[in-house]
């Protein structure tokens, strides 16, 4: 079993780790005389645009460390950092309770979505029928259902079965919300896997379960991981359902931030501190897993 | 499960069906139950403010909805919002992917900064843009305008839909960049090299090699973005609440106003049905087009 794995997995990995384009180019192309000037230009442009895009986030983080008076004064990068907004924000609402809800709901729904989607994507990729294409498109079309269009029925159903303001309720909604995307991404990752590998496994007498556990999952791990990461991010940032289906005990960070937006919209330092706390975990998570996400995406839908 | 197969290939649709069953069943329930209830409510005179007054209304809610200019305005806004953001993010994403593919010092960090907005929750980005960037007197943009001696723009009252488009595009441009940058990395260097040898300039390489190579990735971006942009809600809720007037009301927000502010479940449900039909028309035409692109 493992022989297939190593033998076949290597070319795919190796392909991704080829020499950077620039090195190849530097060796082979006749160099333009102004290559140094071009490099400086590129650096300025690249960094300029990156900072331009990042600026609102940077500004928000900085504002969180200012006093309220400094926050609404003329924009300035020079100020004495203070933690007073963070203290005030924490005193008003227990951040960790909301953060815990976000973590549980985002990861819980992602895990559940993956568990349900993997068999389905496996069947679609390796045992396609005439209906497979249609099923895939239909699944995606359920994503186009505007949440507001079905809010009232869901709200009434949840009220009747006691799922309002529970983590379980949110996990169910988020799982279903992300399921079509998760199935689609996994399907594209699975489909790109060379059929021969699974065929060879079958020849050796692997059962479906063994095939999935020992061949499919290890080989498509980057794809599964990137799908999972996207699902975590989408669940973490979802605002509509969390605002309408939770009130206090199951409210995630999206609700936390909303509680600071309306009555105290003008207290920018506190608002910024709360916002920074709400996005920090997922932003750092995104930064750390960015390579993984990119690798996964390379492996799958985008090639 | 442990049944061994001789040929391995054609075990028939039954196994395929049973493996798909959980996902399909759940999504079918998720779609049909609320949808059925929504259709049912849409045929009722049902207002939460008047309990006990529910009665069958026939197509009255739909009649009211279709003669209300708000519906057409909201549809127009929805399409304008989706279309503009798609053009900005795909166009900008391609250009930025080309830029960030070039080697320069600190490229890795610059990339990470540029894709960061994708991780920011929509409510937060809307709040930051509304209060700290676009605020007419204390915002950074107003301050910048002042530095150049220009009058400050009151973004949300004079250019409401444009403001929303800017905020949404800021959030989704990084997503397009992330996917397109990834696609760029699989571009065959030898091919580019060969074209260079044949005397192709950077512009020719871009149009004849890079763009065709990115076609599939662009399809993915368009498809995924369209799904999310059709139901944009939080950004509007936090910034303009659909106003001034109906300037920034999209379909999702229109239904929200009717359901939760006017408590008119019947009318809101009729709006929901219309939104679902519109979304599926888009799905049939565009997603099919894009999906075909993905097959090769």
């Amino acid at each position: 079993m493992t022989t297939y794995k190593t033998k076949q997995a290597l070319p795919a990995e190796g392909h991704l780790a080829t020499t950077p384009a620039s090195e190849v180019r530097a060796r082979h192309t006749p160099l333009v005389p102004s290559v140094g000037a071009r490099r400086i230009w590129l650096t300025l442009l690249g960094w300029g645009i990156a900072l331009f895009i990042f600026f609102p986030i940077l500004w928000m983080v900085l504002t969180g460390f200012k006093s309220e008076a400094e926050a609404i004064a003329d924009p300035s990068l020079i100020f004495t950092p203070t933690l007073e907004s963070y203290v005030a924000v924490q005193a008003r609402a227990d951040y960790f309770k909301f953060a815990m809800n976000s973590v549980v709901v985002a990861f819980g729904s992602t895990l559940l979505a993956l568990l349900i989607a993997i068999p389905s994507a496996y069947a679609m990729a390796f045992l396609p029928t005439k209906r497979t294409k249609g099923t895939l498109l239909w699944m995606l079309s359920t994503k186009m259902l505007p949440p507001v269009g079905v809010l009232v029925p869901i709200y009434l159903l949840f009220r009747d079965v006691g799922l309002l303001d529970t983590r379980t309720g949110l996990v169910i909604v988020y799982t279903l919300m992300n399921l079509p995307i998760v199935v689609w991404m996994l399907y594209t990752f699975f489909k790109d896997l060379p059929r021969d590998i699974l065929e060879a496994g079958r020849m050796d007498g692997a059962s479906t379960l063994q095939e999935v556990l020992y061949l499919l999952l290890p080989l498509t791990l980057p794809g599964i991981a990137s799908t999972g990461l996207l699902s975590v991010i989408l669940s973490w940032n979802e605002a509509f359902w969390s605002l309408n289906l939770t009130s206090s005990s199951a409210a995630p960070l999206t609700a936390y931030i909303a509680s600071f937006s309306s009555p105290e919209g003008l207290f920018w330092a506190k608002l910024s501190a709360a916002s920074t706390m709400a996005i920090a975990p997922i932003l750092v998570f995104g930064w750390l897993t960015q390579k993984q996400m990119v690798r996964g995406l390379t492996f799958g839908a985008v090639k | 499960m442990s049944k061994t197969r001789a040929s391995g290939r054609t075990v028939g649709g039954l196994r395929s069906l049973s493996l798909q069953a959980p996902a399909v069943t759940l999504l079918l329930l998720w779609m049909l139950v609320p949808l059925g209830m929504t259709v049912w409510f849409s045929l009722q005179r049902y207002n939460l403010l008047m309990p006990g007054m529910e009665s069958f209304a026939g197509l009255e809610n739909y009649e009211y909805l279709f003669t209300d200019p708000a519906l057409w305005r909201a549809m127009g806004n929805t399409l304008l919002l989706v279309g503009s953001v798609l053009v900005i993010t795909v166009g900008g994403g391609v250009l930025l992917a080309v830029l960030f593919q070039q080697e320069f010092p600190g490229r890795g960090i610059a990339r990470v900064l540029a894709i960061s907005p994708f991780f920011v929750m929509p409510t937060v980005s809307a709040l930051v843009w509304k209060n700290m960037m676009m605020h007419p007197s204390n915002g950074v943009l107003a301050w910048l305008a002042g530095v150049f001696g220009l009058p400050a723009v009151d973004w949300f009252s004079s250019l409401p839909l444009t403001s929303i488009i800017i905020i949404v595009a800021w959030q989704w441009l990084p997503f397009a960049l992330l996917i397109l940058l990834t696609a760029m990395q699989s571009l065959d260097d030898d091919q580019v090299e060969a074209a260079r040898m044949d005397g192709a300039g950077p512009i020719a390489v871009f149009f004849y090699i890079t763009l065709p190579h990115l076609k599939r990735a662009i399809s993915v971006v368009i498809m995924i973005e369209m799904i999310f942009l059709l139901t944009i809600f939080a950004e509007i809720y936090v910034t303009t609440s659909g106003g001034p007037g109906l300037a920034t009301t999209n379909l999702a927000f229109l239904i929200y106003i009717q359901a939760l502010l006017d408590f008119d479940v019947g009318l809101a449900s009729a709006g929901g049905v219309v939104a679902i039909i519109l979304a599926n028309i888009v799905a049939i035409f565009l997603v099919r087009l894009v999906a075909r692109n993905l097959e090769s």
Side-chain angles (χ1 to χ4, degrees), chain A residues 55 58-60 62-63 66-79 268, chain B residues 131-147:
Chain A
F55 182 76
L58 178 72
W59 197 247
M60 176 192 83
L62 289 178
T63 307
K66 290 178 177 179
S67 68
E68 288 297 350
E70 283 168 327
I72 56 162
D74 271 349
S76 161
L77 290 171
I78 302 148
F79 61 94
W268 290 3
Chain B
N131 291 316
M132 282 165 256
M133 297 291 125
M134 292 173 163
H135 193 280
S137 51
N138 299 345
V140 172
L141 292 179
W143 176 82
L144 257 184
V147 168

Side-chain angles (χ1 to χ4, degrees), chain A residues 62-296:
Chain A
L62 289 178
T63 307
F65 289 106
K66 290 178 177 179
S67 68
E68 288 297 350
E70 283 168 327
I72 56 162
D74 271 349
S76 161
L77 290 171
I78 302 148
F79 61 94
T80 341
T82 164
L83 284 176
E84 65 185 46
S85 302
Y86 282 89
V87 175
V89 161
Q90 178 61 23
R92 221 193 87 172
D94 184 11
Y95 169 77
F96 295 98
K97 193 190 89 184
F98 292 92
M100 200 58 207
N101 283 337
S102 276
V103 169
V104 170
V105 170
F107 284 88
S109 62
T110 297
L111 210 65
L112 199 58
L114 284 175
L115 278 179
I116 299 168
I118 286 175
S120 167
Y122 168 86
M124 287 171 169
F126 300 113
L127 306 162
T129 63
K130 263 180 258 157
R131 279 187 303 271
T132 299
K133 266 262 119 67
T135 313
L136 269 170
L137 284 176
W138 164 74
M139 280 190 170
L140 210 57
S141 77
T142 64
K143 264 308 287 178
M144 303 220 166
L145 204 107
V148 266
V150 292
L151 172 66
V152 177
I154 297 286
Y155 186 89
L156 296 176
L157 284 174
F158 268 39
R159 190 193 59 190
D160 293 346
V161 289
L163 281 172
L164 275 186
D165 203 16
T166 62
R167 289 171 177 175
T168 317
L170 272 194
V171 166
I172 292 173
V173 170
Y174 288 175
T175 302
L176 291 165
M177 178 183 85
N178 287 336
L179 196 55
I181 300 266
V182 171
V183 171
W184 258 86
M185 283 184 81
L186 290 177
Y187 166 76
T188 49
F189 289 131
F190 289 174
K191 239 188 87 162
D192 273 350
L193 201 67
R195 276 192 87 103
D196 327 349
I197 302 178
L198 292 189
E199 300 266 316
R202 282 181 204 169
M203 294 297 192
D204 283 359
S207 69
T208 309
L209 193 64
Q210 286 172 325
E211 197 179 300
V212 169
L213 284 182
Y214 298 114
L215 290 170
L216 186 69
L217 292 186
L219 286 174
T220 53
L221 201 61
I224 295 171
S226 79
T227 308
L229 296 175
L230 191 73
S231 164
V232 166
I233 290 168
L234 291 176
S235 305
W236 187 281
N237 291 341
E238 200 285 329
F240 180 76
W241 291 110
S242 65
L243 286 175
N244 285 306
L245 296 180
T246 66
S247 51
S248 57
S249 55
L253 285 170
T254 39
Y256 170 80
I257 192 67
S259 77
F260 283 94
S261 65
S262 28
E264 300 184 49
L266 287 174
F267 294 99
W268 290 3
K270 286 187 197 68
L271 184 66
S272 298
S275 299
T276 305
M277 285 164 90
I279 68 158
I282 204 72
L283 190 63
V284 172
F285 178 77
W287 282 347
L288 293 178
T289 57
Q290 179 241 147
K291 280 247 162 63
Q292 181 63 60
M293 207 162 355
V294 168
R295 233 180 76 186

Side-chain angles (χ1 to χ4, degrees), chain A residues 21-22 38 43 47 50 53 75 127 133 138 141 144 148-149 153 202 208 233 237 268 271-272 282 287 290 294 298 302, chain B residues 8 15-16 28 38 102-103 105-106 110 112 115-116 119 121 131-132 143 170 179 182-183 186 189 252 279-280 295:
Chain A
S22 55
R38 185 173 172 271
T43 313
W47 273 95
I53 294 176
L127 306 162
K133 266 262 119 67
W138 164 74
S141 77
M144 303 220 166
V148 266
R202 282 181 204 169
T208 309
I233 290 168
N237 291 341
W268 290 3
L271 184 66
S272 298
I282 204 72
W287 282 347
Q290 179 241 147
V294 168
T298 319
V302 174
Chain B
R15 211 161 65 90
S16 178
L28 206 62
T38 301
Q102 315 292 319
E103 191 87 14
V112 167
I115 60 166
S116 293
F119 306 123
M121 51 181 82
N131 291 316
M132 282 165 256
W143 176 82
W170 178 77
I179 298 225
T182 308
S186 67
D189 292 326
N280 279 285
E295 269 173 32

